[in-house]
């Protein structure tokens, strides 16, 4: 069964890579976490400053630990006050390289991300010279409509379980299209093309990563 999944991910992944490239993204398919980490580090210049938002997939392949040990980083988790944390998130908008995941990607090459504060989607849209997206094949769905649905009804409720916020999805596991003060679904970004060419780089991994 595992072999069948790998083959399926490989074939589907290659279709996705071609479609991402047709939309002017750089895109690479890596069969496992180790090769994904190697490729990501190839894409980060040695003198670059590096920031990230919610990037569980990047963490799972070892990329966050790798950049912490070898680069100048903007790490909000080192901050001790909320004011410093906000200041650090704003500095990430000026980083040379920004690391992120994807909540969902349609097979035709469109990415959907949902954000609570907006710092992650802001960096994807504009600011850092280079954005590197780490995405497991579990994030890939057939259509853009499926991608929006996955982001809202799977990725966000699963992500919310990490927090103690009293939102409907944290309590029930199901999206309620809420207006709760602590809602993490305040901005929904669809990235359908890349400009300038190659600014956003996808590393699609033939494993399940993130939510």
């Amino acid at each position: 069964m595992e072999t069948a999944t790998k083959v399926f991910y490989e074939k589907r992944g290659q279709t996705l890579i071609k479609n991402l490239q047709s939309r002017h993204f750089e895109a690479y398919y890596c069969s496992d976490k180790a090769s994904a980490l190697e490729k990501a580090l190839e894409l980060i210049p040695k003198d670059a400053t590096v920031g990230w938002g919610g990037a569980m997939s990047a963490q799972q392949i070892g990329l966050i630990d790798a950049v912490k040990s070898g680069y100048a980083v903007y790490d909000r988790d080192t901050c001790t006050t909320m004011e410093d944390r906000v200041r650090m998130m704003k500095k990430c908008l000026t980083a040379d390289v920004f690391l992120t995941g994807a909540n969902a990607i349609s097979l035709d090459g469109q990415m959907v991300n949902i954000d609570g504060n907006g710092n992650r989607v802001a960096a994807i849209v504009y600011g850092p010279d280079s954005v590197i997206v780490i995405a497991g094949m579990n994030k890939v769905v057939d259509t853009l409509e499926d991608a929006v649905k996955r982001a809202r009804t799977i990725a966000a409720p699963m992500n919310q379980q990490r927090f103690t916020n009293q939102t409907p999805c944290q309590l029930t596991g199901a999206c309620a299209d809420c207006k709760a003060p602590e809602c993490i679904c305040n901005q929904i970004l669809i990235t359908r093309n890349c400009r300038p060419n190659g600014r956003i780089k996808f590393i699609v991994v033939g494993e399940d990563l993130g939510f």
Side-chain angles (χ1 to χ4, degrees):
M1 184 63 70
E2 183 178 349
T3 300
T5 301
K6 277 290 188 184
V7 172
F8 172 72
Y9 277 176
E10 171 78 25
K11 292 178 178 179
R12 192 169 169 84
Q14 292 304 328
T15 298
L16 174 62
I17 294 302
K18 291 177 183 177
N19 289 334
L20 287 167
Q21 291 171 344
S22 76
R23 294 177 179 274
H24 317 296
F25 301 102
E26 277 189 38
Y28 307 90
Y29 185 85
C30 296
S31 62
D32 54 31
K33 296 183 184 73
S35 57
L37 174 59
E38 183 179 357
K39 174 54 70 174
L41 292 174
E42 287 178 8
L43 298 176
I44 304 175
K46 288 299 182 183
D47 59 348
T49 56
V50 183
W52 56 88
M56 180 165 287
S57 297
Q59 184 176 354
Q60 288 174 329
I61 70 167
L63 182 55
I64 300 300
D65 287 341
V67 296
K68 283 182 180 180
S69 64
Y71 294 86
V73 299
Y74 300 145
D75 182 2
R76 63 186 179 184
D77 290 333
T78 62
C79 300
T80 57
T81 68
M82 182 54 68
E83 290 79 7
D84 286 343
R85 187 176 178 86
V86 170
R87 195 174 297 114
M88 187 67 76
M89 288 192 290
K90 289 182 178 179
K91 286 187 73 173
C92 285
L93 300 177
T94 67
D96 297 318
V97 178
F98 186 81
L99 310 176
T100 186
N103 293 136
I105 307 173
S106 61
L107 194 59
D108 70 352
Q110 301 184 72
M111 176 172 62
V112 177
N113 282 290
I114 287 184
D115 218 348
N117 295 316
N119 58 296
R120 182 170 65 116
V121 297
I124 292 171
V125 172
Y126 193 82
D129 294 334
S130 178
V131 175
I132 299 176
V133 181
I134 309 296
M137 280 298 296
N138 56 310
K139 304 295 184 68
V140 182
V141 294
D142 287 338
T143 68
L144 179 58
E145 181 180 1
D146 293 335
V148 173
K149 183 176 180 180
R150 186 192 190 281
R152 299 202 66 185
T153 66
I154 297 176
M158 288 182 71
N159 189 33
Q160 186 67 288
Q161 302 313 307
R162 298 188 297 138
F163 310 117
T164 57
N165 300 345
Q166 296 296 300
T167 62
C169 71
Q170 199 280 333
L171 297 172
T172 69
C175 178
D177 195 24
C178 77
K179 299 177 183 176
E182 295 177 312
C183 176
I184 64 169
C185 300
N186 297 321
Q187 294 86 22
I188 302 174
L189 172 67
I190 297 172
T191 306
R192 59 179 302 273
N193 289 316
C194 182
R195 189 169 71 180
N197 288 5
R199 173 180 172 266
I200 299 176
K201 302 163 181 64
F202 282 86
I203 298 176
V204 179
V205 188
E207 298 187 20
D208 292 351
L209 297 174
F211 301 126

